[in-house]
Amino acid sequence: MFAQILLITGGGPSGATRPLIQYIYEVGFTQNNLGYAATMSYALFVILLALSIIQLKHQRMGGE
């Protein structure tokens, strides 16, 4: 999804259509702030991991 949004809108008006992954990329490689980009990446990983665990537990209970 990163490439499609970048090619079509370039981030849109004032970054309105810019996904989090694109923002992390821009901070890390365009602004040369790799530490902050790495921190955001770890935070995104923890959030996605938590959501995945919740979804797996919900599916094992029968999906109700």
Side-chain angles (χ1 to χ4, degrees), residues 48-64:
L48 292 176
L49 180 65
L51 290 173
S52 297
I53 291 170
I54 291 169
Q55 182 180 10
L56 282 172
K57 287 184 179 186
H58 186 266
Q59 284 179 348
R60 289 185 182 174
M61 290 187 336
E64 295 184 32

Side-chain angles (χ1 to χ4, degrees), residues 1-57:
M1 199 166 127
F2 171 78
Q4 291 87 351
I5 293 173
L6 182 63
L7 289 173
I8 293 172
T9 67
S14 300
T17 60
R18 181 174 53 188
L20 183 58
I21 298 297
Q22 184 178 0
Y23 179 67
I24 292 171
Y25 169 80
E26 288 174 2
V27 168
F29 296 107
T30 309
Q31 299 174 12
N32 234 5
N33 195 349
L34 295 175
Y36 184 54
T39 302
M40 287 190 293
S41 295
Y42 282 122
L44 179 61
F45 169 74
V46 169
I47 291 167
L48 292 176
L49 180 65
L51 290 173
S52 297
I53 291 170
I54 291 169
Q55 182 180 10
L56 282 172
K57 287 184 179 186

